[in-house]
Amino acid sequence: MRRGVFAGSAVAVLMLTAACGSGDNSAGKGDSVQPVGDSKQAGSGYDGYGGGSGAVPAADAIKNGPAGELKVKATTELGATVTDSAGFTLYRFDKDTPKPPKSNCEGDCATAWPAVSADDASAGEGIDKSLLGSVERADGTKQLTLAGWPVYRYAKDTKAGDTLGEGVGGTWHVLAPDGKPAKAGGGAGSGSGADPSAGGEAGAGEAAGGQEKAQADPVGVNRNTKLGAILTDAEGRTLYRFDKDSAWPMKTNCLGACLNTWKPAKAVDKELVKGIPAELVGTFKRPDGTEQLTIDCWPMYTFSGDKEAGDINGQGKQGTWFAVSDKGKKVTATG
């Protein structure tokens, strides 16, 4: 009998420790889960190129094979993107140059970001064929270029449609059909006769619709040039976490006068969140009974000093307030 009691107690303890904190911290809009991230800088565990020991290499045939006919793929988060003939996402590197075309990704970087061969590459519908070119790499091979930008795949994209390389290091971006970084609200252009200077945007109504949808997302991802991919609320305001809070157990230490400056982010329906793992999204019941959004069990806030969408004026405040990456980790880079 005692063994049965002890076994039941052990199960109860395991169930309790599988949550962010006590049971009253969770709410119906999101499950409270044990933190899967940590407080290290975004990108921790990777080298400077987003590869590192944790990289999952794509098949050699995909990494080193020809691109074939390039395709335009419409996405909710990034608008019109470019893929190879197999549907794998293509990228550009901000540290490269388009005029003249030059790749600055060699060695370990080229392992994480395999250069796309110019052999047999062609422009499909929605891509101006005059934008395709090639550049000779240090090893003598010819790399495909789009609007002068060298083209890459990402080793961690293991299936068609993956966009895991977007925003890595703040310098890697999915390609749009005009060679610019893809972004929400961007269109597919008008085909082989498209004007490259038009930015590859769709008609005004379609672009506006895409932007409206992006703004409606309860939690979004802002590709910040200084901090990388960071989380925002539905209005595009940067979300922050407070080092004096606790994720295990979940607890807030922003009370009283603190709330005049740092506003608790409202809880959201995790089923409506896109662009980040659903298991990172949860809710926390504050002492006043209101529900607050949590990411990886950390309570989220907006900063009253951020006046416009995309502002990061709260980054590093008092050495305790930090933006959060799309992987749920604290971003310690300075703005």
Side-chain angles (χ1 to χ4, degrees):
M1 181 65 180
R2 290 183 177 179
R3 291 181 180 176
V5 172
F6 292 151
S9 299
V11 171
V13 169
L14 286 173
M15 291 178 66
L16 284 173
T17 56
C20 292
S22 60
D24 61 357
N25 284 339
S26 61
K29 294 185 179 179
D31 299 329
S32 293
V33 294
Q34 182 174 356
V36 296
D38 54 33
S39 59
K40 296 178 182 178
Q41 182 174 350
S44 176
Y46 301 87
D47 60 24
Y49 308 108
S53 60
V56 180
D60 287 343
I62 295 173
K63 289 194 300 182
N64 303 316
E69 184 180 74
L70 304 189
K71 300 178 181 178
V72 175
K73 179 181 179 182
T75 69
T76 300
E77 296 172 8
L78 296 172
T81 66
V82 179
T83 73
D84 63 15
S85 59
F88 280 80
T89 303
L90 301 181
Y91 298 87
R92 51 170 274 176
F93 185 32
D94 284 352
K95 294 184 179 180
D96 288 348
T97 58
K99 296 181 181 180
K102 184 179 186 302
S103 170
N104 286 303
C105 180
E106 302 286 350
D108 290 341
C109 174
T111 300
W113 301 90
V116 175
S117 172
D119 296 341
D120 300 322
S122 62
E125 183 177 357
I127 300 174
D128 185 347
K129 63 182 180 181
S130 69
L131 296 182
L132 298 189
S134 66
V135 62
E136 185 171 341
R137 295 181 57 80
D139 60 5
T141 60
K142 296 287 187 179
Q143 182 175 3
L144 176 66
T145 61
L146 180 61
W149 289 94
V151 179
Y152 305 83
R153 297 184 182 95
Y154 185 39
K156 284 193 172 184
D157 285 349
T158 57
K159 64 181 184 298
D162 280 352
T163 56
L164 302 178
E166 172 59 32
V168 169
T171 55
W172 289 93
H173 301 286
V174 173
L175 273 166
D178 59 356
K180 296 179 181 180
K183 60 181 180 179
S190 57
S192 59
D195 179 3
S197 66
E201 295 180 351
E206 183 179 345
Q211 184 64 27
E212 182 178 350
K213 184 168 185 179
Q215 290 176 345
D217 289 341
V219 177
V221 179
N222 174 30
R223 315 290 171 178
N224 186 273
T225 56
K226 296 181 179 180
L227 304 184
I230 58 174
L231 301 185
T232 62
D233 68 4
E235 298 179 20
R237 295 174 298 191
T238 301
L239 293 174
Y240 300 90
R241 55 180 263 188
F242 185 31
D243 275 357
K244 293 184 179 180
D245 284 352
S246 170
W248 191 262
M250 198 154 41
K251 181 181 179 182
T252 178
N253 279 302
C254 183
L255 303 166
C258 174
L259 297 175
N260 294 330
T261 304
W262 302 92
K263 307 299 183 180
K266 295 180 180 179
V268 302
D269 184 347
K270 65 188 297 181
E271 299 301 323
L272 300 178
V273 175
K274 301 175 183 178
I276 63 173
E279 62 267 21
L280 294 179
V281 182
T283 58
F284 165 68
K285 185 174 289 187
R286 294 185 56 81
D288 62 4
T290 60
E291 292 182 357
Q292 182 174 1
L293 169 68
T294 64
I295 297 295
D296 200 22
C297 299
W298 286 90
M300 293 289 103
Y301 305 83
T302 57
F303 179 48
S304 60
D306 286 344
K307 302 304 182 184
E308 298 181 1
D311 282 353
I312 53 172
N313 298 320
Q315 177 66 6
K317 284 289 184 181
Q318 288 84 46
T320 55
W321 293 91
F322 298 94
V324 178
S325 77
D326 58 347
K327 302 299 186 294
K329 298 183 180 181
K330 178 174 72 173
V331 179
T332 57
T334 59

